[in-house]
Amino acid sequence: MALVDLLLVVGIIAGVYSLLAIGMNMHWGDTGLLNFAHAGFFAVGAYTSAILTTPPATGSLATRVVGFDLPIVVGLLAGTVLAGLVGVLIALPSVRLEGDYLAIVTLSAAELIRLLIHNEAWLTTGAQTLKNIPRPLDATIPFSYDLFYFVLVWALVGVCYLLFERLSSSPFGRVLHAIRENDDVPLALGKNTYVFKLKSFGIGAAIAGLAGGLWAHYVYAISSIMFLPSITFLIWAAVIIGGAGSYTGAILGASVIVFLRQITRFIPGDVPFGDQLSYIRLMVVGVVLILVLYYRPQGLLGDAERLQAGTSE
């Protein structure tokens, strides 16, 4: 693979992770919600778009009987909306909880989503891989498809960034910030903090669903193993490294995480511990996270004032 092609692939992955980090930043950086269900929203978006844009499986070994063969735009929009709705459904009973309790409930919800995908073969192909997911304009792009998809993904990142920056500085965002600091204050001023938390959860989950749809249509094939809780850990690390509350920082943190993970793929397998690269990658991310927390606890682009989001619980 040529260097340019490699950089485009890494850039596409970084763009998908940036969308995930933007959604997580609304949950944690703006609202102070300990959400550990992001991998689940990512999976909902990916599988919804894949199921809607592919026909039912055929053949004697086929298990999936549901498929609609709809346009890709419909799949992406439906995946985004459904992920947002799932986020609201998870939030309905859980956002009244605080701290560790909210984290446990959302983590359990994400794993429940993954297990449903793994077991409902009639809908998702179950443990098998859902293949032949179409790519947008695949047959009509006269130049490098990776270049086209890179531009598409980062254009959507740019749109989401501008939208979320605007939301963050709007009256809606200021209420979220007040909830993050101390939700008793906006409650005393007549704001329904429960509804605001639901909105925050739904919007952030929807963007994770969009990221899932973009991921599915790029990689051709998806399976439940792609959506393990480690995805949520990486997105949390990205937001913390970039700076909680900073959407620019969320994008930077996601790009750093992807770079660290991808560069380790070039380590030869015959070097010491070369067969343990999957674990080494997580360790490298952990070391970088510790260094950032030690030397710049507010993150690379974060504001020190935002640290109160973690102390208000």
Side-chain angles (χ1 to χ4, degrees):
M1 181 181 291
L3 178 59
V4 173
D5 294 333
L6 175 62
L7 291 176
L8 287 174
V9 172
V10 173
I12 291 168
I13 299 172
V16 171
Y17 273 61
S18 293
L19 289 172
L20 289 169
I22 287 173
M24 180 67 81
N25 192 60
M26 166 155 278
H27 292 159
W28 172 244
D30 278 347
T31 322
L33 296 173
L34 275 171
N35 164 39
F36 280 84
H38 231 47
F41 306 142
F42 189 43
V44 169
Y47 271 91
T48 299
S49 193
I51 291 167
L52 290 178
T53 57
T54 55
T58 58
S60 58
L61 298 178
T63 56
R64 184 167 69 94
V65 298
V66 176
F68 300 91
D69 207 14
L70 295 173
I72 293 174
V73 172
V74 175
L76 289 173
L77 290 175
T80 302
V81 172
L82 184 58
L85 291 175
V86 170
V88 172
L89 288 175
I90 292 174
L92 281 171
S94 61
V95 294
R96 296 185 186 277
L97 303 174
E98 296 184 358
D100 298 343
Y101 300 103
L102 175 59
I104 292 170
V105 170
T106 52
L107 179 61
S108 301
E111 191 62 8
L112 176 62
I113 291 170
R114 192 185 69 82
L115 290 175
L116 284 172
I117 291 171
H118 185 80
N119 289 295
E120 300 302 321
W122 63 274
L123 179 64
T124 65
T125 72
Q128 299 180 38
T129 302
L130 199 165
K131 302 177 181 178
N132 300 319
I133 303 171
R135 283 180 161 186
L137 304 177
D138 193 10
T140 60
I141 299 299
F143 51 88
S144 167
Y145 189 82
D146 283 344
L147 176 59
F148 161 75
Y149 213 81
F150 175 88
V151 173
L152 172 64
V153 169
W154 278 98
L156 290 172
V157 171
V159 170
C160 291
Y161 168 78
L162 294 175
L163 174 62
F164 276 71
E165 278 284 355
R166 185 68 179 268
L167 281 174
S168 184
S169 59
S170 69
F172 172 76
R174 289 194 289 272
V175 174
L176 296 186
H177 299 164
I179 292 172
R180 179 196 68 208
E181 304 299 339
N182 187 338
D183 59 2
D184 289 336
V185 174
L187 188 63
L189 294 175
K191 302 296 183 182
N192 189 332
T193 57
Y194 178 69
V195 171
F196 276 89
K197 289 178 181 179
L198 291 180
K199 291 179 180 178
S200 172
F201 224 92
I203 295 171
I207 297 303
L210 174 61
L214 291 171
W215 176 253
H217 288 290
Y218 180 67
V219 298
Y220 284 122
I222 55 176
S223 65
S224 59
I225 200 69
M226 289 182 174
F227 305 100
L228 294 172
S230 58
I231 293 291
T232 301
F233 162 74
L234 292 173
I235 301 307
W236 264 100
V239 171
I240 294 171
I241 289 171
S246 169
Y247 287 101
T248 307
I251 294 172
L252 175 62
S255 300
V256 169
I257 291 294
V258 170
F259 175 77
L260 290 174
R261 283 174 58 79
Q262 296 303 316
I263 198 172
T264 57
R265 297 186 186 278
F266 297 95
I267 299 176
D270 56 355
V271 301
F273 306 106
D275 58 340
Q276 303 293 325
L277 281 181
S278 59
Y279 303 105
I280 292 174
R281 290 187 189 105
L282 289 175
M283 290 173 62
V284 170
V285 171
V287 169
V288 173
L289 181 59
I290 291 171
L291 291 174
V292 170
L293 288 173
Y294 185 80
Y295 290 104
R296 190 172 173 82
Q298 69 268 34
L300 297 177
L301 298 179
D303 190 329
E305 184 179 346
R306 301 280 184 172
L307 286 175
Q308 296 180 32
T311 60
S312 61
E313 296 292 339

